[in-house]
Amino acid sequence: MFGALTAMPYILIANMKKSLLVVQSQSSESDSDGTDQAHNQSIVVPTTVIAIADSLQKKDNSWVVTSQIATDLSIQVQDITFTVHKYPLVSKCGYIGRLELQPSISNFGYELKLENFPGGSEAFEIILKFCYGLPLDLNPSNIAPLRCASEFLEMSEEIDDGNLISKTEAFLTFVVLSSWKDTITALKSCETLSPWAENLQIVRRCCDSIAWKAPRDNSMVNDEGWCFDDVASLRIDHFMRIITAIRAKGAKPEIIGKCIIRYAERWLPGMDAELEGLRGYGYGKNELQLSIVIGRKEDEGIEHSKEQKSIIESLVSILPPQPEAVPCKFLLKMLKMAMVYSASQALISELEKRVGMVLENANVNDLLIPNYKSENQGKMVKSLEKQTMHNTDVVQRMVEYFLMHEQEKQQLPPTSGKSNVSKLLENYLAEVAKDPNLSITKFQVLAEALPERARACEDGLYRAIDTYLKTHPSLSEYDRRRLCKIMSCEKLSLDACMHAAQNDRLPLRTVIQVLFSEQVKMRAAMQGKEPAASDNNSEREITQTSTKTEIRTLRAELENVKMQMTELQRDYSELQHEYEKQNNKHRNGSAWNFGWTKIRTSALFHRKLDGNEGGEGHQRSNSLGSKINFRRRQSIS
């Protein structure tokens, strides 16, 4: 239907006569000069010398029509010059037919320059073939440029029957738009056809066609996800048009979210940046060495940065409002990219709010957001003076948004969100506490961001505080007490209490509180009761049988040591008394013999000699105590 277009000489003559009347009537109305009329009439040549052009041949930067008739028109499109005949173009193109062509400098024919021609020289070459009746190849790649170019040249049915506008319109509507792949190809070709493709509704029709063919739920998505890859290959403005159309057609938020995630993975290569090393920290001799790998390179140009920023802002603006549309990990990656490319503060706040709504699904690595300089378009802070490794202010705001969101849905059934966020924040504190530049105020604000009732057990908070004290050994006693006030000793497990009681980094008052709390727990365990905490927490629970066994063993060992110490003190007193008595009487020999006899008969001496009875029992007791202490230290660390 749209293959080779041929014409016989008599058909060409008829078309030439028809077009000649149009040209002559326009010329007579605009100009009565006899010279112009003579030139227009001279276009009609005898039938015996008319021949169809054989082909177009390229010579350097010009195209020449090979024909038996001499060419009389030179047309420049971009940097390519086409040497053609005037009449075949006038018979098809209303735009060229109504132009007052200027004679060429060489006084041979006419010259014409087409400015801002849609489709460029490639489209004009195909139009020349159509005007000369040469074989014409229409395909999804050139249909949009040809449709715009034919509109530019006014190749309508009023000029000639079966003109190029009608042919390209029919091919676009009935062939291209019926295929997913062809529609994607045609839409990509529209990226260089603005504003013609927009005005002719080519972009809108392509986007609507893709939206109708796109899957609307997960059951329609295959394993390869080719549809997401095709849509992700488009320009950002066309991608947004498609997403808007898909949403209007009732697609699920998860489908829209998958499209957005695939597009971000393709056009934002820095999305997969991670921290290197031990959470990004390494300690040199005189300074803290920081290492962060980010997607942005130092040699990126300003235009590329603007493009990346525009993509980020556009993707965030079309995110579905439903929390389940995109995972929390993706939102945090977008937040990091927005900070790298200095996106607007309103956009960053929007991302922080969205992360706060699903903060319980985050992990510690995702929350480790590096500290960037906004004034330098996202470059990492190089000065180490009082600059923290990670941006803790962002995490604090996200926790606040989480609490606001939890307060708004209080009427709904309770969830484990606060418990998960509490553990997440404790683990985050343990990581950022390794930063020597983190101030105690920021640490305290983060630790107190969640209400105390949100933490059933504070072993994680104790670990974070201990890490901070270890990293900041020069803290004053006042700051240590201030830091430890954040922690509630009553919510520490028995293992944590045992570890804290031997921790010399803690202030004395805290150690006393921990010992008192441990005593209360031990007393409750001896009475067969659980500790006073009412919240269920697996970290604090210890098997009742194991606890009673340990308590009985420790008490028996303590009573045994007390009895031995009493006997030893009594023997020592008697020995000292006898020594003084004998020394006064100058009976040294007999006195020492008497003293040696007393020592041999003492209970402590018998305990050391008797290896089969008392020694083995004491070693067994010590071995059990060592195992218990080792297991407690393992659980704390």
Side-chain angles (χ1 to χ4, degrees):
M1 175 180 180
F2 302 103
L5 301 176
T6 59
M8 296 301 293
Y10 68 88
I11 297 177
L12 179 61
I13 293 173
N15 289 335
M16 291 173 65
K17 289 181 179 180
K18 177 182 176 183
S19 300
L20 180 62
L21 295 176
V22 177
V23 174
Q24 286 179 339
S25 61
Q26 291 177 353
S27 301
S28 61
E29 292 175 1
S30 60
D31 190 2
S32 59
D33 190 357
T35 305
D36 291 339
Q37 292 181 1
H39 176 74
N40 290 333
Q41 291 173 355
S42 65
I43 296 178
V44 181
V45 293
T47 307
T48 56
V49 297
I50 289 182
I52 300 176
D54 298 326
S55 63
L56 285 173
Q57 294 182 355
K58 186 175 182 180
K59 297 179 180 179
D60 297 332
N61 287 336
S62 61
W63 286 86
V64 179
V65 175
T66 58
S67 175
Q68 299 178 3
I69 304 175
T71 57
D72 57 354
L73 179 61
S74 176
I75 301 178
Q76 183 178 354
V77 180
Q78 293 177 338
D79 55 347
I80 303 297
T81 302
F82 297 86
T83 304
V84 296
H85 301 89
K86 174 184 175 183
Y87 194 79
L89 292 177
V90 171
S91 64
K92 298 286 185 182
C93 307
Y95 175 77
I96 297 179
R98 60 185 175 83
L99 288 178
E100 294 183 5
L101 302 177
Q102 300 295 327
S104 63
I105 300 177
S106 59
N107 294 325
F108 177 77
Y110 296 88
E111 287 184 349
L112 176 63
K113 185 175 183 180
L114 299 178
E115 299 285 352
N116 301 322
F117 187 76
S121 58
E122 294 83 1
F124 190 77
E125 176 191 349
I126 299 175
I127 289 178
L128 279 181
K129 292 180 180 180
F130 173 78
C131 292
Y132 278 99
L134 295 175
L136 185 64
D137 179 24
L138 298 180
N139 55 64
S141 299
N142 63 21
I143 189 62
L146 287 178
R147 176 65 183 89
C148 297
S150 61
E151 190 72 23
F152 180 93
L153 295 175
E154 300 176 9
M155 302 177 71
S156 63
E157 294 293 312
E158 297 177 357
I159 303 299
D160 187 33
D161 294 334
N163 214 340
L164 191 58
I165 288 180
S166 60
K167 292 184 180 299
T168 54
E169 186 66 32
F171 187 83
L172 175 65
T173 303
F174 298 107
V175 178
V176 174
L177 295 181
S178 62
S179 169
W180 170 277
K181 287 286 186 181
D182 292 347
T183 307
I184 292 289
T185 303
L187 184 57
K188 291 177 69 174
S189 67
C190 293
E191 295 177 356
T192 58
L193 298 175
S194 180
W196 289 92
E198 291 286 351
N199 296 336
L200 295 175
Q201 304 295 320
I202 299 177
V203 174
R204 182 191 61 79
R205 286 184 287 172
C206 288
C207 292
D208 289 343
S209 175
I210 294 172
W212 278 112
K213 297 178 178 64
R216 291 179 174 81
D217 53 43
N218 293 324
S219 62
M220 301 173 62
V221 180
N222 56 10
D223 296 333
E224 293 80 8
W226 53 267
C227 55
F228 299 138
D229 292 332
D230 292 338
V231 175
S233 64
L234 300 172
R235 202 173 63 184
I236 184 62
D237 55 339
H238 293 164
F239 176 77
M240 293 181 64
R241 293 273 293 270
I242 291 176
I243 294 299
T244 304
I246 291 176
R247 182 180 297 173
K249 299 296 187 296
K252 297 292 184 181
E254 295 84 352
I255 297 297
I256 299 176
K258 288 180 180 179
C259 290
I260 295 175
I261 292 174
R262 190 66 61 88
Y263 194 91
E265 291 174 350
R266 175 163 184 164
W267 295 94
L268 301 174
M271 290 285 291
D272 297 327
E274 297 290 345
L275 295 179
E276 287 185 346
L278 181 61
R279 303 296 186 194
Y281 294 99
Y283 294 93
K285 295 182 179 180
N286 300 319
E287 64 180 3
L288 175 68
Q289 299 173 352
L290 308 179
S291 59
I292 296 180
V293 177
I294 58 175
R296 182 179 179 184
K297 300 179 180 178
E298 295 293 335
D299 56 351
E300 285 183 355
I302 298 178
E303 291 299 326
H304 179 76
S305 298
K306 290 182 178 179
E307 179 184 359
Q308 297 288 87
K309 178 181 177 181
S310 175
I311 291 175
I312 294 170
E313 293 177 346
S314 300
L315 293 181
V316 174
S317 66
I318 59 176
L319 282 174
Q322 293 80 0
E324 68 276 6
V326 292
C328 181
K329 189 180 186 69
F330 174 76
L331 293 175
L332 285 167
K333 286 183 177 182
M334 289 294 293
L335 178 60
K336 293 177 185 178
M337 294 298 295
M339 296 174 66
V340 168
Y341 289 98
S342 303
S344 64
Q345 189 59 42
L347 181 136
I348 293 178
S349 299
E350 176 64 23
L351 283 173
E352 291 173 354
K353 291 178 182 178
R354 293 185 65 94
V355 172
M357 295 173 62
V358 291
L359 189 58
E360 63 271 14
N361 299 325
N363 58 57
V364 177
N365 288 334
D366 297 334
L367 290 182
L368 295 177
I369 302 175
N371 223 345
Y372 299 109
K373 273 186 179 179
S374 58
E375 61 269 20
N376 287 341
Q377 295 184 351
K379 293 181 180 179
M380 193 186 71
V381 175
K382 295 183 178 180
S383 174
L384 301 179
E385 296 180 358
K386 297 183 180 180
Q387 294 292 348
T388 57
M389 175 74 172
H390 300 101
N391 194 329
T392 58
D393 296 334
V394 174
V395 178
Q396 178 188 343
R397 289 194 294 268
M398 289 189 294
V399 174
E400 293 174 355
Y401 288 132
F402 166 77
L403 294 176
M404 293 171 58
H405 181 65
E406 287 289 315
Q407 187 177 2
E408 290 176 356
K409 61 177 186 179
Q410 281 182 353
Q411 63 274 14
L412 299 178
T415 61
S416 60
K418 284 189 178 180
S419 177
N420 295 336
V421 173
S422 175
K423 295 178 181 178
L424 174 68
L425 189 58
E426 289 173 353
N427 294 332
Y428 177 78
L429 284 171
E431 293 299 333
V432 298
K434 302 173 185 177
D435 189 350
N437 296 324
L438 180 65
S439 65
I440 187 174
T441 302
K442 285 193 173 183
F443 184 90
Q444 184 177 1
V445 170
L446 269 177
E448 295 176 345
L450 287 177
E452 187 177 353
R453 63 179 180 274
R455 292 191 296 265
C457 177
E458 301 200 355
D459 286 7
L461 184 58
Y462 165 69
R463 180 169 64 93
I465 292 175
D466 186 47
T467 304
Y468 189 87
L469 293 175
K470 188 185 302 182
T471 311
H472 303 77
S474 60
L475 280 181
S476 62
E477 186 71 15
Y478 171 77
D479 288 337
R480 291 172 184 270
R481 290 198 302 267
R482 170 187 169 191
L483 193 63
C484 292
K485 283 182 179 180
I486 306 172
M487 173 182 61
S488 176
C489 298
E490 291 78 10
K491 291 186 177 182
L492 294 179
S493 65
L494 186 60
D495 292 336
C497 288
M498 294 292 291
H499 183 276
Q502 307 174 44
N503 192 347
D504 56 356
R505 288 183 291 271
L506 298 178
L508 182 58
R509 178 177 297 180
T510 303
V511 174
I512 294 175
Q513 293 176 352
V514 169
L515 289 174
F516 178 76
S517 176
E518 182 181 7
Q519 184 180 7
V520 172
K521 291 182 177 65
M522 291 178 64
R523 184 177 302 171
M526 291 171 59
Q527 296 175 358
K529 299 178 181 179
E530 293 294 331
S534 59
D535 295 326
N536 52 349
N537 187 2
S538 59
E539 297 181 2
R540 303 182 53 185
E541 292 178 356
I542 302 175
T543 307
Q544 185 175 356
T545 305
S546 176
T547 303
K548 290 182 178 180
T549 303
E550 293 180 5
I551 295 300
R552 284 196 297 267
T553 302
L554 291 175
R555 290 186 62 186
E557 184 179 354
L558 182 60
E559 292 296 332
N560 190 19
V561 171
K562 286 182 178 180
M563 292 175 60
Q564 293 174 4
M565 287 296 298
T566 303
E567 293 180 4
L568 185 61
Q569 288 179 356
R570 185 175 63 250
D571 293 342
Y572 175 75
S573 299
E574 293 178 0
L575 179 62
Q576 187 178 15
H577 178 70
E578 291 294 334
Y579 172 74
E580 291 177 355
K581 182 179 180 181
Q582 296 297 329
N583 188 31
N584 293 334
K585 296 181 179 182
H586 302 283
R587 296 177 182 178
N588 296 333
S590 59
W592 280 110
N593 291 334
F594 179 78
W596 177 248
T597 302
K598 293 293 291 181
I599 292 177
R600 291 183 62 185
T601 58
S602 66
L604 182 61
F605 186 78
H606 279 291
R607 172 177 166 272
K608 291 187 175 292
L609 288 181
D610 195 358
N612 295 329
E613 297 178 2
E616 290 182 359
H618 185 63
Q619 289 176 4
R620 184 163 52 252
S621 176
N622 287 341
S623 175
L624 179 60
S626 300
K627 289 180 180 179
I628 293 172
N629 291 335
F630 177 75
R631 185 167 67 254
R632 288 172 177 169
R633 290 181 176 276
Q634 264 194 333
S635 64
I636 288 296
S637 60

